[in-house]
Amino acid sequence: MWKIIKNLWLGCALIAAASALLLYSDLDSRESEDDDAHAAIKRIAILQHASQAVLDDGREGMLAGLRARGWIQGENLEVKLFNAQGDMPTAHTMAAAMTSGNYDLLMSISTPSLQAVANANTNGRTKHVFGLVTDPSAVGVGISADNPLDHPPYMAGYGTMQPVERAFEIARQLNPKLKTVGVVYNSSEANAVKQIEVARVVCANMGIKLEEAMAENSTGVGEAAAALCARKVQAIFVPGDVTVIVALDALISAANDNHIPVFTVIPPNIERGALFDIGADYRSVGHQTGLLAADILNGKKPADVPIENYMPETLLINEPALKGVKGSWSIPAKLKESAQVYIDAQGKRTERKSATPENLQAEPGKQYKIAFAYYAPEESWERCQQGLIDGMAKLGFVEGKNLTITRSHAQAEMINIRPMLQNFDSTDVDVIVTFTTPVLQAATTAVEKHPVVFTYVTDPIAAGAGKSFTDHNPNLTGVGSMPPLKDTVKLTQLLLPNAKRIGTLYNSGEANSVKEVTTLKELLAEKNIELIGVTAGNSNEVIQAVQALVGRDLDAVYIPGDNTVYQAFAPVAEIIAEADLPLINSDPSAEGPVLSVGPGYYFSGAGAAPLLARVLLGEDPANIPMENVSVNNAKFNAAVAQRLGIPVSEKFKQAIGTAQAEMKAAQNDGFQNPNPSGKKWKITIISYVESPPFEEAYEGILLAMEQSNLQEGKDYEITFKSAQGDISALNGIVDNALTERADMIVALSTPGLQTAMRKTQKTPIVFGIVADPISAGAGKSNTDHQANVTGVSVALPSKEMLDILQKYFPQYKRIGTLFCPNEANSENSKKIFEAECKARGIVLETVAVNSSAELADAALALMSKSIDAVVQIPDNLSSAGFTAISAAAEKTQTPLLSMNSVTVDMGAAYAIGRDYYEAGFETGQTMLQVIAGEDTAKIPFRVSPQILTAASQKNAEELGMILPPALLQSAEKVKD
């Protein structure tokens, strides 16, 4: 009886639908009786199979794509929408009306709609564009699976094969014990059948049993799902099946009743209770289809359009769907961060709508032309070029397929650069890509008609590309790659500790070389090392210049990334070797140097790929900030060192090993998005008290952020707050940061770390210049720590200090120090130092001091004791008020040493301590790890390895103290 009633009801519904359709069609003809009056207006009809979010998004995207090409509904475009509400007979009736000849173009959304329109349009009377179709070749409408151009000449569109394999991979990540998955599908839907075929193979490879159930129509979906649950499946997979999607609520209800999750490849269905959706951004698919439709309205022939797959992937996760489910289901932190939409356990929705490089894709069927303009062929350029080509291929721009590259170089002559660029500017290329600083410099004035994207450049600002990375010439953008000169100087000094004069060779007409040499000169001067420069105006002058250079009584030679010099690098290196001088350079690929520290130019090329893709896809380069991409390499040639008789210390071996490991890790991350969340991170840096160590660490953090691939103002904003030594103010600062929803708190002090940890266990906390995070309560060890906390500590160098005392000042048997009982780090440092002194037979006298007001009197009290010298441990109080300690020492003529590396500037005779600038830089690197999506719980605490020694003979004399010459000579920084 029920079947009879149901059939009657369906029959009535079809009659009503057909009647409505006839009235609708008649209305079309009555509204358009005066064809001449609308001669300039194009008419299109769109068939949508059902009212579903995914199909609605596709439709809106299509209309947006049409608008983007100038086809505006209500102005020069009439759009008629047909919706079959999931019923195939109705779809066929509507398709017949659409192919009556009243429309200039037909569009269809989904596989059933493609089938309906294609079957009604077999005579090819009207051009047809389709989208949101899984596999067009499997639909049976004459589209070849092997040849993208083998299809009906009046038909064009895109396939969007759902990421079935990726869906099962994610399901396995959420439940590593997943063994049985159910699926409901309609065997009459070709798209669903295709996905099931893929799912069978995927499940077989993963060791998952796929239980299948059929549903001929939407009313049978719930019953089929219940049957799967009875077979004890652990989850239900929903393919791109319109029949199932229409009745998804019934399927999810059955799954919920049996406490199992549902996952789909058709976003967005997390709103209806699915655990996750992994599939296409269907609005983007629709937009691409709309662009194609507009091109065809503008005269493009469908027969000339290859039918290709277009799959802009998106992930949506719904954590509440895990409530009450059976089995070991959990969501990894990295997966949460990678989701475009994430609903947390409390129902809070986070959306990440970002045009990241991972989301950039070449338009299917479109051909792109670019030009490579460079100075001359050489090995580093080859690697940079390859990095760019590989990076573009990842984004769908493949040379020889949809990308044509024309290459030209200036034959190592400056005079040839401008004509080369002007020649490219007169061609039909889409973008000119420049390599090297001289070519970029010329492009800023020589290229007038085309956008420019640059790479293989040291400093684009110095090259004249703009005032800043955001305020630059409107027709260009790109990436710079400044060598890590600070690292170079540090490693050079460890390798050649007695070096006092280093020579360099460069072309003063190259802005990149001038910038590099100027920066290097400043850094070496800080280490009391002189840089002797000789210039060469062109490649013909290089040999004579290097011969003059090696006769200048040098300890080593440094070659910057100078294009002129590198054209003759081999003979240059040979002349330097014959002079028995160590050669150091900024290109690790070069043969001959004993030490090389510089950019891996492959990654400089790869880093430019997303910017180039954005320009090729139509974005204005004026709105694309320039970037710095410096993924560095370090190389040490032990054979060269041995030949030159250079002793290699353990300290250098350790430093070069650490540098190489860190740079290798950076290379492995070379293609990762530095800010996958897409949000602007609100970062609050807090300090208990402002002091020289804090200032140096803060500068190091800013440098790390500046050298990253992030843009201040777009990817992050930093707010700095100081409590000025007031613990109640510190509490207020942290409370205010959390109230303003800071995304990260950076604590540059132990009190700041402890306060932040008391206030939040969710917001990421990164600490810096904290002496001992374990004693501060941050964890049990460097790897087992509070989940939302990570950072960089500056461990007390007590052993190193006592080694200095026993070697150079064996007469100091009783020493004193001040400590602050209110600071956990100070109390702990005192205990560590006390134990180390006791083990060496040295007596340590201590005096407690609780405030800056007490500091001067406490220092005098300490120095009135029977002590030979003061060795001050670092803490916030003594760091901020060290001048009071040094004044007391001068007054009492007490030798004053310190374990705070910056205190020589404030009166100490000698100091050994952590390099706070480097510690700050490493803290910044840790912040970047958090922004990049790494779980703070899995980022180990690190100890900043760099120890800095400093001395001042003048300060020593004022204290009545004599510094041994050997100690002065060994100091990395001498202040007089």
Side-chain angles (χ1 to χ4, degrees), residues 3-79:
K3 288 185 177 179
I4 296 173
I5 294 172
K6 185 172 75 171
N7 289 336
L8 286 172
W9 182 85
L10 286 173
C12 291
L14 287 173
I15 293 169
S19 299
L21 179 60
L22 291 173
L23 287 171
Y24 195 96
S25 301
D26 184 54
L27 179 63
D28 291 345
S29 59
R30 283 186 283 119
E31 286 179 345
S32 306
E33 287 177 356
D34 188 356
D35 291 337
D36 292 336
H38 299 275
I41 296 176
K42 296 289 186 180
R43 305 179 74 238
I44 68 172
I46 301 177
L47 177 60
Q48 179 176 333
H49 190 62
S51 295
Q52 300 168 14
V54 58
L55 303 184
D56 291 342
D57 284 349
R59 183 190 68 241
E60 291 304 313
M62 287 178 177
L63 296 175
L66 284 160
R67 286 194 299 270
R69 291 281 200 263
W71 291 101
I72 313 299
Q73 188 176 5
E75 294 183 11
N76 58 357
L77 186 68
E78 281 187 18
V79 179

Side-chain angles (χ1 to χ4, degrees), residues 135-195:
D135 184 2
S137 65
V139 176
V141 295
I143 299 173
S144 170
D146 303 316
N147 183 356
L149 287 171
D150 184 3
H151 57 80
Y154 49 84
M155 185 188 297
Y158 299 119
T160 304
M161 183 64 190
Q162 284 81 4
V164 175
E165 182 175 7
R166 177 78 173 130
F168 279 91
E169 288 174 352
I170 292 174
R172 177 60 69 77
Q173 287 181 51
L174 270 60
N175 183 358
K177 297 181 180 179
L178 185 64
K179 294 294 183 182
T180 308
V181 175
V183 63
V184 180
Y185 68 101
N186 184 347
S187 60
S188 66
E189 285 196 31
N191 54 315
V193 172
K194 182 68 175 180
Q195 290 170 69

Side-chain angles (χ1 to χ4, degrees), residues 345-364:
Q346 288 71 44
K348 181 183 176 183
R349 182 187 182 94
T350 301
E351 293 194 37
R352 303 179 178 92
K353 297 179 179 178
S354 59
T356 61
E358 290 83 351
N359 294 331
L360 293 172
Q361 286 293 322
E363 291 184 24

Side-chain angles (χ1 to χ4, degrees), residues 725-768:
D726 185 341
I727 199 68
S728 61
L730 189 61
N731 278 280
I733 287 170
V734 177
D735 286 338
N736 187 58
L738 295 173
T739 300
E740 294 180 355
R741 299 185 182 278
D743 298 299
M744 184 192 304
I745 293 176
V746 180
L748 296 184
S749 67
T750 299
L753 169 61
Q754 292 177 310
T755 303
M757 289 192 299
R758 285 198 303 270
K759 300 286 185 179
T760 179
Q761 294 184 354
K762 293 183 178 180
T763 303
I765 300 170
V766 177
F767 62 80

Side-chain angles (χ1 to χ4, degrees), residues 325-340:
V325 301
K326 296 181 291 187
S328 304
W329 293 88
S330 63
I331 304 171
K334 282 193 175 182
L335 206 59
K336 293 179 183 179
E337 290 297 327
S338 67
Q340 280 67 53

Side-chain angles (χ1 to χ4, degrees), residues 374-382 408-412 456 566-567:
Y374 55 108
Y375 186 69
E378 41 95 8
E379 188 176 349
S380 293
W381 172 80
E382 290 284 356
S408 183
H409 62 84
Q411 299 175 332
Y456 200 43
Y566 266 82
Q567 293 305 306

